[in-house]
Amino acid sequence: MEGQKIKVENNSILVPNNPIIPYIAGDGIGPEIMRAAMLVWNSAISRVYAGKRKVVWKEIYAGEKAIEIFGDPLPEETIEAIKSHVVSIKSPLTTPVGRGYRSLNVKLRQVLDLYACIRPVKWIKGVPAPVKHPELLDVVIFRENTEDVYAGIEWKKGSQEAKKVIDFLRDTFNLEIRGDSGLGLKPISEFATKRITRKAIQYALENGRKSVTIVHKGNIMKYTEGAFVEWAYEVALNEFEGKVVSERELNEPVSEKLIVKDRIADNMFQQILLEPSEYDIMLLPNLNGDYLSDAVAAQVGGIGLVPGANIGDFVALFEPTHGTAPQLAGKEIANPTSLILSGAMMFDYIGWKEVGSIIRKAVEKTIMDGKMTIDLARKKGVEPLKTTEFAEEIIKNIEE
């Protein structure tokens, strides 16, 4: 079956029965978990559609493999392929620390304007978790992807650029900054804040969620994160009038409308442990979203179990929430669950919800049966499976 591109027409995604979906194998454990995940995805599609629908996978390149082939960690061909095919999926990519090229994940989000990082976090039955009641947590993180300190506007200590900025701030605003400082800017705009808010609220309304919580440090950073929370409230109360209510205006603890509330970021880390069932959709600036998404993932067993997506107005790039784990690469012991579930999330996005559903059920049954990779198996005291063996057990549950 030859493939066709997914298209966008009349503000809707049009998905053929044989969509071409690009994938990036990734670095470190990436190729291993991608191979395992594809076995699961293809099995689920076959089980649900019996040959009437099929994904035509198209490999594109980023990271170490792209350097080998193109001499560039993120070639223009890859960016154009993601744009023109609308929906893609990737494994983790290496980000050098303190040297080398900037994060390819961040660059992809910025270049493609994938402004919403969306991470659903929910416990899978059978997973060993560090909290007593992981089943109480069921949140979806909406993290603004393009601004904040991740915008990449920074200057190295001692550089001419840093010196100019320090001199400018001293001469113009009488602000004294130590000369041996590295500098960075934290832009948060009304435009970017309002569009991520719209997406979070639309998702909440479409999926029957109960609340959206804006998480911020606006008590300290009043004109960036403080502005973020106020702009978010403006969108909620003005553009969704009649459908939402501010917690600030609630006279009773329960409302039929979507409740919009806000929490200071440091307090939120406490609240999500003490009262996890009180929170639903969580809306955050970039850095807060990065921190909190990992923290809530820990409550349900770790980031190796949580799916993720970076979505713009239509273009979407799905990815696991963990890194490349180079120390595990080549050993066939990595857990592919995050990538497998990111694929399930992708199938939901293109309207193949039956595929997403059967994958989630099969993953859960596999883990409940005590079939798991070493990261979970050692906590449960069961015999660990290799990466591909784990995928094969999931496939058995898909095919039942």
Side-chain angles (χ1 to χ4, degrees), residues 137-171:
L137 183 73
D138 181 2
V139 300
V140 182
I141 300 283
F142 274 74
R143 167 190 171 196
E144 204 291 318
N145 242 349
T146 65
E147 297 191 324
D148 202 354
V149 292
Y150 281 66
I153 307 169
E154 58 177 357
W155 300 280
K156 186 178 179 180
K157 182 208 84 171
S159 67
Q160 286 299 311
E161 294 86 354
K163 185 178 184 303
K164 285 181 181 179
V165 174
I166 290 170
D167 290 346
F168 172 78
L169 292 174
R170 183 193 62 237
D171 296 342

Side-chain angles (χ1 to χ4, degrees), residues 32-104:
E32 297 163 58
I33 62 172
M34 182 61 77
R35 284 193 297 271
M38 278 195 175
L39 293 174
V40 173
W41 299 334
N42 288 333
S43 174
I45 295 166
S46 177
R47 177 72 174 82
V48 172
Y49 297 125
K52 294 179 182 178
R53 288 181 175 175
K54 178 183 179 181
V55 169
V56 177
W57 301 103
K58 173 185 173 68
E59 185 172 10
I60 56 177
Y61 303 97
E64 293 170 357
K65 199 168 182 180
I67 293 173
E68 291 176 14
I69 297 171
F70 297 95
D72 183 345
L74 187 59
E76 190 62 32
E77 290 92 334
T78 295
I79 294 170
E80 287 305 313
I82 296 171
K83 283 182 184 177
S84 65
H85 290 84
V86 185
V87 174
S88 304
I89 194 161
K90 63 179 277 295
S91 272
L93 295 167
T94 296
T95 299
V97 177
R99 58 180 177 77
Y101 51 84
R102 290 189 180 274
S103 167
L104 300 179

Side-chain angles (χ1 to χ4, degrees), residues 71-284:
D72 183 345
L74 187 59
E76 190 62 32
E77 290 92 334
T78 295
I79 294 170
E80 287 305 313
I82 296 171
K83 283 182 184 177
S84 65
H85 290 84
V86 185
V87 174
S88 304
I89 194 161
K90 63 179 277 295
S91 272
L93 295 167
T94 296
T95 299
V97 177
R99 58 180 177 77
Y101 51 84
R102 290 189 180 274
S103 167
L104 300 179
N105 297 317
V106 172
K107 186 173 180 180
L108 279 165
R109 295 165 192 166
Q110 292 177 341
V111 170
L112 295 164
D113 202 22
L114 305 177
Y115 57 85
C117 179
I118 304 174
R119 294 180 175 176
V121 184
K122 185 178 181 179
W123 183 57
I124 301 169
K125 291 179 183 177
V127 168
V131 297
K132 291 181 179 179
H133 294 287
E135 74 279 1
L136 296 179
L137 183 73
D138 181 2
V139 300
V140 182
I141 300 283
F142 274 74
R143 167 190 171 196
E144 204 291 318
N145 242 349
T146 65
E147 297 191 324
D148 202 354
V149 292
Y150 281 66
I153 307 169
E154 58 177 357
W155 300 280
K156 186 178 179 180
K157 182 208 84 171
S159 67
Q160 286 299 311
E161 294 86 354
K163 185 178 184 303
K164 285 181 181 179
V165 174
I166 290 170
D167 290 346
F168 172 78
L169 292 174
R170 183 193 62 237
D171 296 342
T172 307
F173 299 109
N174 198 31
L175 295 174
E176 288 297 331
I177 295 175
R178 293 185 180 91
D180 61 352
S181 298
L183 300 177
L185 288 183
K186 178 188 177 75
I188 289 184
S189 71
E190 181 176 3
F191 172 80
T193 300
K194 287 187 171 181
R195 68 177 178 177
I196 186 72
T197 303
R198 289 185 195 101
K199 192 172 282 287
I201 292 176
Q202 286 165 351
Y203 179 96
L205 293 170
E206 289 169 3
N207 289 277
R209 310 297 288 221
K210 294 180 180 179
S211 68
V212 173
T213 302
I214 309 158
V215 183
H216 61 97
K217 195 64 178 169
N219 58 327
I220 303 299
M221 291 170 276
K222 299 181 185 298
Y223 305 121
T224 52
E225 298 200 18
F228 183 92
V229 70
E230 292 307 319
W231 290 327
Y233 270 120
E234 282 180 25
V235 169
L237 301 178
N238 296 336
E239 298 184 21
F240 295 89
E241 186 177 1
K243 297 180 181 179
V244 306
V245 61
S246 167
E247 183 186 52
R248 299 171 179 177
E249 302 169 358
L250 270 181
N251 296 318
E252 298 180 11
V254 179
S255 171
E256 294 301 316
K257 297 178 182 179
L258 179 70
I259 301 170
V260 178
K261 48 193 175 182
D262 69 277
R263 297 289 184 271
I264 300 296
D266 48 319
N267 181 44
M268 188 70 250
F269 280 87
Q270 174 182 230
Q271 291 299 316
I272 202 64
L273 280 165
L274 296 176
E275 302 289 346
S277 60
E278 292 295 312
Y279 299 95
D280 199 333
I281 307 299
M282 308 182 79
L283 173 64
L284 309 97

Side-chain angles (χ1 to χ4, degrees), residues 13-32:
I13 292 176
L14 300 181
V15 182
N17 289 332
N18 55 342
I20 303 169
I21 296 183
Y23 71 94
I24 297 171
D27 300 325
I29 61 171
E32 297 163 58

